[in-house]
């Protein structure tokens, strides 16, 4: 049947319309909609941004500094809207029907928009960093606050919402009424787009940061293409629908502005430095989750956010995954966090019919509720910090699937499942060898060290400054010090030291609080080739100076007068060049900060970092039985601890080590600082250990590893957990000397963490580390690269090594006490007592003077120092063995062992103080000490009110020993040798133990 004239006419009209519309699209990039954007004026211009004010009041035609609300204008709550880096600011006003600014204005709000412009055409735009954007948002808040005379609401889409979080943390929520984000994930690493496994995301981020965008930007067209490829099926379907309806202009005009925006007009270039910064901080280091986000010279944490937060997310959003968006509640425990879910994808959250009908009415109602002018909006729900979230991105696919897309969704889910299975299998197969593989380069370097190898603290710092100059080295007082800046500071201090006469090989004291200047001073002495004598803040300073023959001391202003009074020259460092020293200091004080390094001419003998492995690097002091002793540490010994710690703790650039250990204690410089520098980790320094602020500082700095000495963590676990503290970034506590009972309490207080206990002979080349999680109290096994160790039998009375018929030492049996000997791999310093011919003719060993036991698994358990063992008539009693056994009682806080004179010889007395309100009975004591051999049990156990600790938190029994035998009473028990248990100490029994005159 031939077509009718009407049909032909209609077909021709359709074809004509199709051709005309197609020509228009080809010529102009799309159909002309004749829609006008919402009115705005630019009220501020800055190098980083232009600040738009939409629907400006009539009185706001002047500059921003003079702008304000008109006298008759209705007061509107201001909201500042932030776009992502790669999307134009027009995302807030794509079309009149879906315009965010129009909807908010109509609802009675005052919308402002930050316009970052197009970086590829802005001056210096392609050099912008993540910090530049965060500070720009903060500056914009200040501008709007000044213009309106009140605090503001802050809103951001996608990465713009991440900027809002970071700026709010940077400002500590100052002048912010609330934060509203749209599809802004906090945990990109754990909840990546498209469900990509975490390991894959981190690997891709490293490649992108190091090789792709290190020196080039991301063009706008590529950003648009990448955005559309995240959902290729929907993109293809949209293109097909557009072509099918190209003849129907009226049907297309309603969505044309949106199509052109997503098609490329709404995307701008993304600067390379900003991409690299985002990859490293947000994904690789996961700083939005763990804290320690670097903004310029400051370090911030999302835990600093205290204003209310509304997180809007799309149920089918595969970019801002809902589980990752909701994590804001975990990392901002001080904020009231609410969520609002929309059945939309990433773009549909802010543009489209769903945004117009759900998102913007709810946001306006939220602002009214926070302003106190309206009720709480329907549909929002409060999110608790510990809320369990569904991390499965395939749930979003299932919700969005329909028809052919459902089949495609199942296919994508299958691919993801196979990928996750492969990753899981890979993780399982490499689990046992991963740690060794991770540590291999460091251990290989240790194995290559010879006595003449150039290696030192300063040399490692130089390497870090060369390889990672812009990475954070120190975090202190919320400030960031990069490796490059620290290296420059070290060089300047070296010039100052040379100017005052310090030469290579000189012994120079260091007396400073834990601060960056102290570490810089030690590194400067190391770079100069001098020896740093680390002085503890003690009343015995004159004695320590005489003992070490030190005449010059690098000190901070707080200790300058003490150094001068002790008879040494004080070389004052720290506080900056603008601070003045007290006027009453004598002429023996030199202010290093007043020396201009540019005027110092370096002598010809100076060579930076001359230290070799066999050279003396540091001198420490220890006090045993009331006598000060020096401990000498070579560069090799420092490197052994540094690289050994970094390997055992698996420290890397993603780690932040919280250095609580005093720097004058060996564990502070050798383990905490040494391990962090060797691992390329950040070092967070505190102005003193304060349990009340510990958790806050951990969150702010993003601490992953906490260092300790002895019972330092004791006061921390006494603090009640914050009711909203549901997210702890700590993964590891590492140090030496933690009592076994305290060890368990720390793990209870911070579940999911572990304790890495070290034993490091200060002058012996040995480092033991407990890598197991099932043996609290053990010192573990020797780290690879350290010296060979052996346990030998020792005469309990004389302390001499027991030898066999052949004259060689007798090795200790399993679970039997023995003296720990080490066989040095390099040469031994002449000041260290050497043992020759111990196991075969001509061999060389060094005694650690510490008793250990070795179990059947090969793990070492320390029993105590030889000087602290109590030699009773029934045999030696070992202090650590007794303290750990008593510390296993849940009612015991600390336990110590000490010696008092008795009628028939030394008496071993153990003292405990209580934890909690439960009492300790004789049966408790007997049960706890049942694990100790009968001959090694203390004669008396008693309860005391408190046990003092030293400056480095080591339990100190000196004062208790001075009191002599404890008094008889209900909380004092004596060993019943026949029954093997403990009974109450009576006055008669005590009188029998008192030595006769």
């Amino acid at each position: 049947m031939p077509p009718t004239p009407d049909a032909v006419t209609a077909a021709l009209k359709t074809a004509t319309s199709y051709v005309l519309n197609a020509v228009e699209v080809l010529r102009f990039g799309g159909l002309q909609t004749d829609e006008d954007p919402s009115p705005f004026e630019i009220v501020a211009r800055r190098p980083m941004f232009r600040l738009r004010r939409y629907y400006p009041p009539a009185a706001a035609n002047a500059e921003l500094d003079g702008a304000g609300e008109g006298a008759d204008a209705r007061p509107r709550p201001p909201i500042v809207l932030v776009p992502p880096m790669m999307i134009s600011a027009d995302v807030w006003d794509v079309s009149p029907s879906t315009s965010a600014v129009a909807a908010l204005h109509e609802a009675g709000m005052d919308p402002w928009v930050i316009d970052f412009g197009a970086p590829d055409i802005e001056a210096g735009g392609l050099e912008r960093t993540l910090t530049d954007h965060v500070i720009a948002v903060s500056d914009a808040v200040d501008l709007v606050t000044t213009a309106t005379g009140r605090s503001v609401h802050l809103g951001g889409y996608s990465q713009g919402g991440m900027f809002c979080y970071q700026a709010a943390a940077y400002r500590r929520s100052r002048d912010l009424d609330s934060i509203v984000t749209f599809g802004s994930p906090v945990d990109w690493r754990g909840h990546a787009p498209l469900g990509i496994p975490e390991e894959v995301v981190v690997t891709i981020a490293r490649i992108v940061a190091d090789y792709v965008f290190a020196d080039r930007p991301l063009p706008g067209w590529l950003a648009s293409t990448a955005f559309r490829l995240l959902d290729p099926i929907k993109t293809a379907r949209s293109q097909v629908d557009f072509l099918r309806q190209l003849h129907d202009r009226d049907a297309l005009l309603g969505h044309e502005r949106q199509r052109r925006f997503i098609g490329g007009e709404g995307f701008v270039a993304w600067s390379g430095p900003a991409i690299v910064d985002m990859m490293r901080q947000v994904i690789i280091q996961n700083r939005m989750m763990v804290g320690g986000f670097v903004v310029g010279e400051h370090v911030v944490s999302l835990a600093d956010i205290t204003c209310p937060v509304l997180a809007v997310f799309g149920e089918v959003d595969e970019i801002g995954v809902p589980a990752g968006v909701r994590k804001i509640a975990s990392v901002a425990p001080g904020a009231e966090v609410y969520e609002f879910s929309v059945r939309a994808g990433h773009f549909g959250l802010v543009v489209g019919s769903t945004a117009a009908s759900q998102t913007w009415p709810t946001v306006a109602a939220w602002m009214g509720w926070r302003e106190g002018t309206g009720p709480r909006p329907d549909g929002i729900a409060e999110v608790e910090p510990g809320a369990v979230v569904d991390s499965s991105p395939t749930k979003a696919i299932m919700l969005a699937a329909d028809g052919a897309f459902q089949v495609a969704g199942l296919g994508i889910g299958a691919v993801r499942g196979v990928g996750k299975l492969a990753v899981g299998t890979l993780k399982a197969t490499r689990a046992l060898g991963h740690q060794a593989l991770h540590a291999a380069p460091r251990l290989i370097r240790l194995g290559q060290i010879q006595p003449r190898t150039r290696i030192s603290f300063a040399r490692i710092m130089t390497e870090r400054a060369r390889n990672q100059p812009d990475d954070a080295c120190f975090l202190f007082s919320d400030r960031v010090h990069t490796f490059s800046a620290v290296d420059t500071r070290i060089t300047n201090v070296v010039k100052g030291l040379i100017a005052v006469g310090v030469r290579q090989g000189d012994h120079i004291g260091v007396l400073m609080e834990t601060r960056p200047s102290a570490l810089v001073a030690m590194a400067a002495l190391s770079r100069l080739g001098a020896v740093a004598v680390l002085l503890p803040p003690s009343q015995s300073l004159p004695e320590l100076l005489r003992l070490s023959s030190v005449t010059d001391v690098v000190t901070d202003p707080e200790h300058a007068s003490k150094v001068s009074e002790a008879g040494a020259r004080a070389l004052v460092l720290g506080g900056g060049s603008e601070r003045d020293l007290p006027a009453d200091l004598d002429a023996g004080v030199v202010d290093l900060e007043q020396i201009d390094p540019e005027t110092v001419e370096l002598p010809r003998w100076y060579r930076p970092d001359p230290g070799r492995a066999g050279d003396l690097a540091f001198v420490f002091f220890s006090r045993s039985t009331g006598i000060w002793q020096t401990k000498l540490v070579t560069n090799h010994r420092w490197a052994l601890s540094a690289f050994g710690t970094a390997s055992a703790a698996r420290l890397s650039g993603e780690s932040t080590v919280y250095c609580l250990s005093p720097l004058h204690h060996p564990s502070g410089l050798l383990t905490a600082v040494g391990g962090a520098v060797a691992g390329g980790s950040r070092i967070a320094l505190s102005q003193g250990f304060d349990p009340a602020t510990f958790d806050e500082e951990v969150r702010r700095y993003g601490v992953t590893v906490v260092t300790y000495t002895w019972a330092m963590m004791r006061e921390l676990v006494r603090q009640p957990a914050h009711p909203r503290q549901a997210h702890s970034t700590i993964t590891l506590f590492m140090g030496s000397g933690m009592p076994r009972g305290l060890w368990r309490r720390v793990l209870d207080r911070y579940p999911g963490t572990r304790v890495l206990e070290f034993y490091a002979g200060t002058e012996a080349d040995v480092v033991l580390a407990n890598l197991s999680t099932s043996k609290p109290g053990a010192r573990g096994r020797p780290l690879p690269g350290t010296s060979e160790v052996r346990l030998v039998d020792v005469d309990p009375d004389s302390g001499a090594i027991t030898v066999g018929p052949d004259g060689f030492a007798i090795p200790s049996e399993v679970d039997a006490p023995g003296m720990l000997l080490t066989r040095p791999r390099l040469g031994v310093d002449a000041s260290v007592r050497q043992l020759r011919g111990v196991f075969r003719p001509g061999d060389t060993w060094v005694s650690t003077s510490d008793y250990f036991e070795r179990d059947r698994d090969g793990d070492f358990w320390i029993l105590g120092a030889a000087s602290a063992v109590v030699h009773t008539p029934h045999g030696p009693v070992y202090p650590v063995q007794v303290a750990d056994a008593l510390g296993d009682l849940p009612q015991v806080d600390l336990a110590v062992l000490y010696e008092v004179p008795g009628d028939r010889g030394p008496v071993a007395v153990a003292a405990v103080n209580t934890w909690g309100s439960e009492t300790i009975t004789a049966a408790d004591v007997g049960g706890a000490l049942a694990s100790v051999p009968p001959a090694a049990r203390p004669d008396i156990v008693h309860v005391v009110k408190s046990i003092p600790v030293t400056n480095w938190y080591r339990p100190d029994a000196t004062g208790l020993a001075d009191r002599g035998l404890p008094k008889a009473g209900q909380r004092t028990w004596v060993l019943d040798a026949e029954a093997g248990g403990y009974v109450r100490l009576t006055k008669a029994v005590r009188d029998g133990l008192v030595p006769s005159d």
Side-chain angles (χ1 to χ4, degrees):
M1 178 178 179
T4 65
D6 291 341
V8 173
T9 301
L12 290 174
K13 183 178 180 181
T14 299
T16 303
S17 299
Y18 194 98
V19 171
L20 291 175
N21 290 338
V23 170
E24 185 176 346
V25 170
L26 291 175
R27 183 180 179 185
F28 299 107
L31 301 176
Q32 301 299 305
T33 63
D34 296 327
E35 294 175 337
D36 294 325
S38 301
F40 69 88
E41 68 174 2
I42 298 175
V43 294
R45 296 178 184 271
R46 298 292 184 270
M48 264 299 299
F49 67 93
R50 288 176 289 274
L51 184 61
R52 303 178 181 178
R53 187 175 195 179
Y54 280 83
Y55 302 95
N61 294 324
E63 295 295 327
L64 179 65
D65 292 341
E69 295 288 354
D72 299 327
R74 175 188 173 189
R76 294 171 173 266
I79 179 169
V80 180
L81 299 173
V82 185
M85 273 196 292
M86 63 181 181
I87 294 182
S88 148
D90 292 335
V91 70
W92 303 111
D93 189 37
V94 173
S95 66
S97 62
T98 62
S99 171
V101 292
L104 292 173
H105 175 74
E106 186 176 348
M109 310 304 161
D110 182 12
W112 302 63
V113 171
I114 298 176
D115 179 10
F116 294 119
D120 51 347
I121 62 176
E122 300 283 347
L126 296 181
E127 303 301 322
R128 292 174 176 176
T129 65
L130 202 62
T131 289
D132 294 333
H133 289 81
V134 175
I135 293 179
V137 173
S138 180
D139 291 344
V141 170
D142 287 334
L143 290 169
V144 177
T145 299
T146 301
T148 60
R150 53 154 295 165
S151 54
V152 305
H153 298 267
L154 186 60
Y157 167 52
S158 191
Q159 194 182 34
M162 297 163 62
F163 292 155
C164 292
Y165 288 141
Q166 294 152 8
Y170 177 71
R171 300 173 59 86
R172 304 287 180 89
S173 300
R174 177 173 51 84
D175 295 330
L176 294 179
D177 285 332
S178 75
I179 301 171
V180 185
T181 62
F182 309 92
S184 303
V186 170
D187 186 8
W188 264 59
R189 179 166 169 168
H191 303 282
L194 302 176
I196 303 173
E198 181 176 343
E199 294 84 354
V200 177
V201 170
V202 173
T203 301
I204 294 174
R206 285 200 176 99
I207 295 173
V208 169
D210 295 340
Y211 304 107
V212 181
F213 295 111
D215 55 358
R216 62 176 65 89
L218 176 69
W221 66 265
L222 185 56
S224 172
T225 302
F227 184 87
R228 284 176 286 158
L229 287 178
L230 289 173
D231 196 344
I233 297 175
K234 184 176 181 180
T235 299
R237 188 171 62 183
S238 298
Q239 293 294 339
V240 171
D241 290 343
F242 177 77
L243 293 175
R244 289 175 59 188
Q245 299 183 63
L246 190 56
H247 65 282
D248 189 351
R249 185 182 184 91
D250 293 336
L252 295 177
L253 287 181
H255 303 282
E256 179 61 7
R257 289 277 294 273
Q258 299 171 40
R259 186 193 68 80
R260 294 179 63 172
F261 191 92
I262 298 178
E265 292 183 2
F267 288 81
V268 295
W270 196 351
S271 67
I275 298 176
V276 171
D277 206 2
M278 178 185 171
M279 293 296 112
R280 288 177 176 167
Q281 291 211 70
V282 176
I283 299 179
I284 299 174
Q285 300 175 2
N286 208 16
R287 290 295 166 197
M288 291 190 70
M289 283 294 295
V290 303
F293 199 97
V294 176
V295 179
E297 296 182 350
H298 298 270
V299 59
V300 301
S301 165
L302 299 195
D304 296 326
I305 299 175
T306 56
C307 63
V309 175
L310 175 62
V312 182
F313 61 84
E315 296 174 0
V316 291
D317 189 347
E318 280 289 6
I319 299 176
V321 179
V325 173
R326 300 180 75 202
K327 280 291 185 179
I328 182 61
S330 298
V331 298
E336 296 179 39
V337 178
Y338 296 83
E339 67 178 20
F340 178 65
S341 62
V342 180
R343 186 156 182 166
H346 196 64
F347 193 68
L349 277 175
V350 294
V351 177
S353 58
T354 302
S357 62
Q358 296 185 44
T359 303
W360 304 124
T362 301
V363 171
W366 159 270
M367 293 177 62
W369 179 46
R370 301 315 309 185
E371 294 288 329
T373 60
R376 171 173 165 169
D378 294 333
I380 72 168
E382 187 169 5
V383 186
E384 294 296 328
V388 178
V389 297
D390 184 355
S391 60
S392 172
T394 57
K395 177 181 179 182
I397 295 179
M398 298 301 292
L399 287 171
D402 58 78
F405 186 47
Q406 186 178 42
V407 177
L410 292 174
I412 294 173
V415 172
R416 288 179 186 161
V418 173
K420 289 185 177 179
L421 177 62
V423 171
T425 304
L426 178 61
K427 289 172 66 178
T429 57
R430 72 180 184 182
L432 293 177
H434 182 277
Q435 187 163 328
L437 181 65
H438 187 81
R442 297 164 185 161
L443 299 181
I444 291 173
R445 184 171 184 178
L446 271 180
Q448 295 174 338
I449 295 178
Q450 299 299 320
R452 300 288 297 171
T453 301
R454 289 182 63 182
I455 190 167
S456 62
F457 176 32
R459 188 172 182 84
I460 302 301
M461 291 290 289
T462 300
E463 293 177 5
R464 293 299 171 203
R466 181 174 61 249
N467 298 331
Q468 49 192 99
D470 298 326
D471 288 358
C473 177
F474 301 142
L475 307 177
F476 182 71
S477 294
D478 297 340
R479 309 273 306 182
V480 178
H481 305 262
T482 64
F483 279 103
S484 176
V486 171
D487 185 70
T488 301
R489 171 73 166 159
I490 292 171
T491 300
N492 291 339
V493 173
V494 166
K495 292 180 178 180
L497 292 172
I498 290 176
V500 298
V502 178
R503 296 181 60 90
Q504 181 177 343
D506 288 350
H507 286 223
I508 306 298
V510 178
L511 177 58
M512 305 180 77
E513 297 293 340
T514 301
R515 54 176 37 157
S517 294
L519 292 176
V520 166
M522 298 174 196
L525 291 172
S526 176
R527 179 163 295 178
L528 186 58
V531 178
V533 181
L534 304 180
L535 301 164
S538 170
Q539 298 295 330
S540 306
L541 182 58
E543 178 185 351
L544 298 178
L545 294 176
R546 289 193 299 271
L547 184 62
S548 58
S549 300
V550 165
T551 57
D552 291 326
V553 177
V554 181
T555 182
D556 47 29
E558 293 83 353
H559 292 94
S561 59
K562 295 180 181 179
V563 171
S564 180
E565 292 170 0
R569 183 172 62 155
L571 309 177
V572 184
L573 185 69
S577 59
E578 297 180 357
R579 62 95 174 86
D580 295 324
L581 292 176
D584 56 348
L585 295 179
D586 59 27
V589 176
V590 178
D591 190 354
L592 295 179
E593 300 290 355
Q594 298 300 323
I595 298 175
D596 183 0
E598 298 298 328
T599 64
V600 178
E601 182 178 353
L602 294 175
R604 296 181 62 184
W605 57 259
Y606 173 68
R607 295 292 184 275
D609 307 327
R612 301 186 183 274
D615 294 344
L616 181 62
F618 305 102
V619 177
F620 293 92
F621 291 91
S622 66
R623 191 169 190 172
S624 179
T625 63
I627 300 175
W628 286 102
Q629 297 176 334
T630 58
K631 301 293 183 181
L632 310 181
V633 176
T634 63
N635 283 315
H636 175 256
R637 175 67 188 80
W638 178 87
L640 180 67
S641 287
F643 286 101
T645 299
S647 301
R650 294 179 58 185
L651 300 178
S652 67
E654 301 171 26
S655 307
T656 299
V657 180
Y658 197 15
C659 184
L660 295 175
S661 308
L663 295 180
H664 57 267
H665 189 275
S667 67
L669 188 59
L670 273 64
T671 302
V673 175
V677 171
S681 307
R682 310 196 303 181
I683 305 172
L685 299 173
S686 176
Q687 293 179 330
F689 175 50
D690 185 356
T693 61
F694 175 85
D695 290 323
E696 178 185 350
E697 291 187 340
V698 163
R699 288 193 295 268
R700 179 172 303 129
Y701 292 140
V703 172
T704 57
V705 179
V706 176
T707 66
Y708 64 84
T709 55
W710 296 94
M712 176 183 287
M713 297 293 102
R714 171 172 163 244
E715 294 303 319
L716 177 62
V717 296
R718 287 183 183 274
Q719 296 288 323
H722 192 281
R724 294 182 63 88
Q725 179 190 336
H727 177 76
S728 177
T729 61
I730 302 172
T731 60
L732 180 70
F733 291 86
M734 71 176 187
S736 61
M738 182 181 289
R740 193 160 67 196
L742 177 58
W743 186 320
R744 294 190 175 97
R745 291 188 181 104
V746 167
L747 297 183
D748 290 340
R749 177 68 168 74
Y750 294 93
T753 62
R754 64 187 181 98
V755 174
L756 179 59
E757 177 76 13
F758 286 97
Y759 168 84
T762 307
E763 296 174 311
D765 292 341
V766 59
V767 178
L768 306 179
N770 183 353
L771 302 180
S772 169
T773 58
S774 60
K775 293 184 178 182
R779 296 307 187 263
R781 307 175 189 180
L783 291 177
T786 63
S787 302
E788 179 185 355
V789 297
R790 300 281 291 274
L791 289 181
V792 296
D793 288 345
V794 175
D795 182 87
D797 296 322
S798 65
I801 295 176
T802 303
V803 297
D806 56 2
F808 294 125
I810 300 176
S812 300
E813 300 291 335
V814 173
D815 294 328
M819 182 68 69
L820 183 70
L821 306 183
T822 70
R823 186 178 185 181
R825 194 171 63 83
L826 301 184
V828 182
D829 188 90
S831 63
V832 179
R833 181 169 176 259
Q834 305 173 31
L835 305 175
R836 298 294 182 90
V838 179
F839 297 106
R840 65 172 183 265
D843 64 356
T844 301
W845 295 78
V846 173
S847 173
T848 63
S849 299
D850 288 320
Y851 285 98
F852 280 82
E853 285 182 348
R854 183 172 59 86
D855 62 22
R856 296 186 181 278
D857 297 329
D859 289 303
F860 288 82
W861 298 74
I862 191 169
L863 302 178
S867 59
V869 175
V870 181
H871 297 277
T872 67
H874 53 78
V877 181
Y878 301 100
V880 177
Q881 185 180 49
V882 170
D884 279 349
L886 291 171
D888 285 339
L889 290 173
Q891 309 98 305
V892 170
D893 178 12
L894 291 179
V896 292
L897 180 79
Y898 57 94
E899 175 184 330
V900 296
D903 185 53
R904 291 184 294 275
V907 177
V909 179
V912 300
N913 67 322
T914 58
W915 179 276
S917 58
E918 294 186 22
T919 59
I920 302 174
T921 65
D924 294 331
V925 173
L929 292 173
S931 61
V932 178
R937 295 174 186 171
D939 300 296
I940 296 175
V941 178
H942 68 123
V943 178
V944 297
K945 184 176 181 180
S946 64
I947 295 177
V949 295
T950 63
N951 289 337
W952 43 80
Y953 298 93
R954 181 173 187 170
D956 186 4
T958 304
L960 296 173
D962 292 341
R963 302 176 190 174
L965 284 170
K967 297 180 180 180
Q970 294 182 351
R971 300 201 300 174
T972 305
W973 305 275
V974 64
L975 177 64
D976 185 342
E978 296 181 0
Y982 285 81
V983 296
R984 178 181 172 183
L985 177 65
T986 63
K987 186 176 184 302
V989 173
R990 182 187 184 280
D991 291 344
L993 295 174
V994 175
S996 56
D997 295 335

